[in-house]
Amino acid sequence: MVNRSDFMHALEEVKPAFGVAEEELDAVIQNGIIPYDGTVDEILRAGHLIVEQVRTSKRSPIVNVLLHGPPGSGKTAMAAEIARSSQFPFIKLITPDGMIGMGEAQKISAMNKVFTDSYKSPLSVVVVDNIERLIEWSPMGARFSNPILQALLVLIARRPPKDRRLLVIATTSNRGILTDLGFLDFNQVMRVPPITTLPALEYVVREVELFPVDEDRRDAMRMLRDAGFDKRPDESRLQIGIKKLLSIIEMARQEPDAVAERLVTALMELDL
Ligand code: ATP
Ligand code: MG
C-alpha cells in the first residue's frame, strides 16, 4: 500500500526541471576558491560584471563567455563560482562527466534540454564545461563528433525567448581547436592562468595548512628558491595548475616526516 509518506518521499526524489544544481556546483568547487593572487580576483570581478550585464541590459538577452587555460588551472571551478554567485534562479552545468555512457544523440538531447529548461527562467546561467571533451575531440586524427559540435554551436548562440536572459560560460583547455571548429563569437574571453610565482604557491600552502610549523614552511620555500623556482614569471620554472598543486599537497601531507621534501621533489618532477 502506498501512503502519504511514500508520496512525499517520491516528491523529494523528483528533481525539478529547473532550479539550481547545487550539488553539482559544490562538487566542482570541492576545494573552494583560494585567492592565491590578483588574477583570481580579476577573473571573479570580470565574471561579476558580465553577470550584471545579463541581469540589467535589455539589449543582451544572451551573453557567452569563454574561460580557457592549461589543464587544471581552475577553469571549471571558476565558471561554477561565477555561476553560483549570480544567484540566478536557473543554474545548470553541462559536463562531460555528467554524460558518461551516453551516445551522440542522447548527449545532444540532454544538452538541448538544459537550454530549453533555461528558457523557462527569466535569468539563467548554463556552464558548458570542457567543450573539447563534450564534442569528443581526439588529437589522434583530429576527430570529433560533428553532430554534437553543430548542436553546441547553435545552442550557445541562440537567443532565448522574449523576456528571458541567459549567460553561457564555456570552458576549454584548447582554445586553438575551438577557434578552428568555429567557436568564434564569444562576447568575452578570459584566460585562467596556472600558478607561476612562489608567493602564490606559498599562499596556497598556507591556506591549506600543509605545514603546522611556520618554520617548516619557510624551509620548504627556501628549498624551492634554491632549486630555481623563483625566476621571473616569463622564464619561470614554476608552471602548475591549482588542481595539480592541491593534489601534490595532499600527497606530501601523507608523509609527515618529510613534507617539505615530498613537495619539492614532486614540483621538480613536473619540470622534467
Ligand atoms: P581541467 O583542465 O582538468 O578541466 P580545471 O582547469 O577545470 O581542470 P578545476 O577542475 O576547476 O580545474 O580544478 C580546480 C580545483 O582547485 C577545484 O577543486 C577548486 O575548488 C580548487 N581551487 C582552489 N582555488 C582555486 C582558484 N583560485 N581557482 C580555481 N580553482 C581553485
Ligand atoms: Mg575543468
Side-chain angles (χ1 to χ4, degrees):
M1 205 180 83
V2 176
N3 58 30
R4 183 168 183 280
S5 95
D6 290 331
F7 181 69
M8 297 310 286
H9 190 66
L11 272 186
E12 276 166 23
E13 282 179 354
V14 175
K15 289 225 169 136
F18 54 92
V20 179
E22 307 267 8
E23 283 165 30
E24 285 97 318
L25 288 170
D26 288 347
V28 299
I29 322 176
Q30 210 162 30
N31 299 296
I33 300 291
I34 301 169
Y36 51 78
D37 71 18
T39 59
V40 178
D41 261 1
E42 273 168 37
I43 296 165
L44 291 176
R45 193 142 20 94
H48 184 71
L49 287 175
I50 295 162
V51 165
E52 289 317 303
Q53 182 194 342
V54 176
R55 198 196 306 275
T56 55
S57 163
K58 296 260 183 295
R59 264 173 306 169
S60 28
I62 175 138
V63 172
N64 43 47
V65 304
L66 177 68
L67 299 186
H68 70 97
S73 65
K75 303 170 295 295
T76 304
M78 280 294 191
E81 179 60 27
I82 293 167
R84 178 159 75 179
S85 67
S86 74
Q87 298 190 326
F88 284 4
F90 180 100
I91 303 171
K92 284 274 153 72
L93 311 181
I94 295 176
T95 70
D97 290 347
M99 297 197 169
I100 287 170
M102 290 188 189
E104 230 169 26
Q106 222 181 340
K107 283 188 189 175
I108 292 170
S109 112
M111 296 188 314
N112 197 42
K113 182 170 175 355
V114 170
F115 279 86
T116 310
D117 287 345
S118 81
Y119 301 150
K120 295 172 193 156
S121 159
L123 292 167
S124 305
V125 187
V126 173
V127 174
V128 181
D129 190 35
N130 209 328
I131 293 193
E132 68 276 23
R133 267 185 65 208
L134 286 172
I135 63 170
E136 301 172 4
W137 167 260
S138 153
M140 298 282 290
R143 276 173 304 197
F144 59 94
S145 159
N146 196 45
I148 299 178
L149 170 66
Q150 297 307 324
L152 263 182
L153 284 170
V154 170
L155 288 171
I156 69 171
R158 186 157 77 190
R159 284 174 81 93
K162 195 170 174 297
D163 298 328
R164 299 286 186 259
R165 296 194 214 136
L166 171 64
L167 169 60
V168 178
I169 308 176
T171 80
T172 184
S173 302
N174 200 332
R175 190 183 173 197
I177 68 139
L178 250 59
T179 309
D180 292 347
L181 293 175
F183 290 95
L184 303 169
D185 302 324
F186 289 102
N187 297 100
Q188 194 159 334
V189 174
M190 292 192 273
R191 183 169 131 87
V192 183
I195 288 172
T196 55
T197 70
L198 280 186
L201 184 143
E202 186 169 11
Y203 190 103
V204 175
V205 165
R206 257 185 124 121
E207 184 83 9
V208 301
E209 296 172 350
L210 177 62
F211 297 102
V213 181
D214 275 358
E215 190 47 39
D216 293 346
R217 189 190 70 245
R218 281 193 282 270
D219 280 349
M221 298 313 292
R222 201 170 306 127
M223 286 163 75
L224 288 170
R225 272 192 298 275
D226 289 347
F229 278 99
D230 60 345
K231 297 264 169 60
R232 289 214 319 270
D234 51 320
E235 57 190 58
S236 169
R237 294 187 56 187
L238 189 59
Q239 194 81 232
I240 186 169
I242 177 72
K243 191 177 177 181
K244 179 86 188 170
L245 177 58
L246 289 173
S247 86
I248 286 178
I249 288 173
E250 288 323 307
M251 235 173 50
R253 217 195 277 280
Q254 303 310 313
E255 230 171 293
D257 294 334
V259 175
E261 288 77 6
R262 284 295 293 271
L263 179 68
V264 173
T265 312
L267 286 168
M268 304 220 339
E269 277 166 2
L270 283 181
D271 208 44
L272 298 175

